[in-house]
Amino acid sequence: MEVVIVAGPSAAGALIADQIEHLVRSKPNAAIGLATGSSPLEIYRSLIERYRTGRLSFAQSSMYMLDEYVGLPEGHDQSYRAFLHTELLNHLDVPSERLFGPNVHADDPRVACAEYEARLAASPIDLQILGVGSDGHIGFNEPTSSLSSRTRVKTLTRQTRQDNARFFDSIDDVPHHVITQGIGTILDAGHVVLIACGTGKASAVVRLVEGPLTAMFPASALQLHPHATVVVDEAAAGMLQLAEYYRDVYANRPAWQKLPDLTDNQANNGLQ
Ligand code: GLP
């Protein structure tokens, strides 16, 4: 696992946006997995800025949802589909029909889960953005989720519903059920990039990076992925035992591991 420690949230967002820019420049029809929550917002701000300044186009890219609530009316402003439109897609040139997600309004959610799995199998995600919940969930894979689980319906823990109640009038309005990519599904992405900032994430970060691999802390499953990057700010890195080592590894990474310079000259090359 690659752990990158940066000064603050905006540097974390910019660093991941660099990775995405590099991906989309080399593969304009890339499949990008999007997460919700507050953590990825700095990434989205940076991507919007790059699009606005004509540096990057997503016209050929496709976006894939990580998870979605079940039971909210279609178009509800707290649905994750609405969130991703408001925070990202409305500001980019990716066609809105190219945001794919499970059909949470299907009569039989199990069919919707199987269909989403089939779609992901046909167009594997190149880069999956992740945040981490306070109980270690990725997507909505709550503790004790199978580390090889696939897209399915999950029931949220009381803690997750409490954490997410800030977006609703009260906790009673937070749905109990969701459809989420499974941990096995997430691990199929070519590159998984998790962002976590602030002291509130420090204990989750140390458990996911340095703790035991356990279904009790689903984000620890990233330890199984051959290409996982965890980008944290100083505050979120506060409990890492090997922080100095991670800094040293990053500062001394070989040239072939560095992203090429994204200069203005390269902007728009084959992208518009
Ligand atoms: C939700 C999402 C997760 C996200 C988590 C953390 O539960 N389903 O994908 O990682 O929130 O949110 P935040 O980044 O706001 O702490």
Side-chain angles (χ1 to χ4, degrees):
M1 189 183 296
E2 178 187 39
V3 181
V4 187
I5 303 171
V6 297
S10 68
L15 190 137
I16 296 171
D18 281 349
Q19 302 263 351
I20 295 170
E21 177 169 346
H22 176 63
L23 169 67
V24 173
R25 280 173 188 267
S26 53
K27 184 179 179 186
N29 65 344
I32 302 170
L34 301 176
T36 56
S38 46
S39 302
L41 290 177
E42 290 289 347
I43 306 170
Y44 298 159
R45 267 191 272 277
S46 187
L47 292 177
I48 292 166
E49 182 60 19
R50 290 163 201 238
Y51 166 67
R52 274 204 189 124
T53 53
R55 178 178 160 138
L56 192 55
S57 166
F58 295 89
Q60 295 178 56
S61 309
S62 294
M63 308 289 182
Y64 291 85
M65 297 175 66
L66 186 57
D67 48 9
E68 179 60 290
Y69 290 116
V70 175
L72 295 178
E74 220 157 321
H76 190 284
D77 61 354
Q78 288 310 323
S79 73
Y80 281 175
R81 180 170 285 276
F83 174 98
L84 290 170
H85 277 291
T86 307
E87 300 295 343
L88 183 65
L89 300 177
N90 291 352
H91 313 280
L92 302 180
D93 59 346
V94 57
S96 64
E97 66 273 14
R98 255 193 271 124
L99 173 62
F100 298 104
N103 177 10
V104 288
H105 304 289
D107 291 337
D108 187 343
R110 291 167 304 179
V111 174
C113 293
E115 283 171 357
Y116 196 45
E117 279 286 324
R119 182 175 288 284
L120 292 170
S123 333
I125 291 177
D126 294 295
L127 184 150
Q128 175 66 56
I129 298 168
L130 293 174
V132 60
S134 56
D135 62 1
H137 69 233
I138 46 175
F140 268 135
N141 292 283
E142 297 285 33
T144 70
S145 289
S146 159
L147 299 183
S148 57
S149 50
R150 311 305 303 186
T151 301
R152 70 220 181 286
V153 176
K154 287 292 287 180
T155 304
L156 297 180
T157 61
R158 172 98 193 154
Q159 184 181 337
T160 297
R161 291 181 62 244
Q162 186 67 60
D163 288 350
N164 291 357
R166 66 189 194 278
F167 302 112
F168 294 82
D169 291 338
S170 84
I171 186 170
D172 299 329
D173 296 333
V174 183
H176 285 270
H177 296 115
V178 295
I179 291 181
T180 182
Q181 283 189 36
I183 296 176
T185 318
I186 293 169
L187 295 181
D188 283 347
H191 185 191
V192 291
V193 183
L194 185 143
I195 181 168
C197 294
T199 49
K201 296 285 182 188
S203 72
V205 167
V206 71
R207 288 185 72 184
L208 87 91
V209 174
E210 296 176 343
L213 173 66
T214 168
M216 279 299 279
F217 203 77
S220 65
L222 264 53
Q223 295 172 19
L224 293 170
H225 198 286
H227 191 190
T229 304
V230 175
V231 182
V232 294
D233 69 352
E234 293 288 350
M239 293 170 73
L240 288 171
Q241 279 185 43
L242 299 185
E244 286 320 310
Y245 176 59
Y246 308 137
R247 288 184 220 278
D248 207 38
V249 169
Y250 192 69
N252 295 297
R253 64 199 187 287
W256 53 265
Q257 270 185 357
K258 295 182 184 169
L259 292 183
D261 246 0
L262 301 167
T263 61
D264 283 347
N265 270 348
Q266 289 168 288
N268 300 328
N269 267 357
L271 291 172
Q272 298 287 348

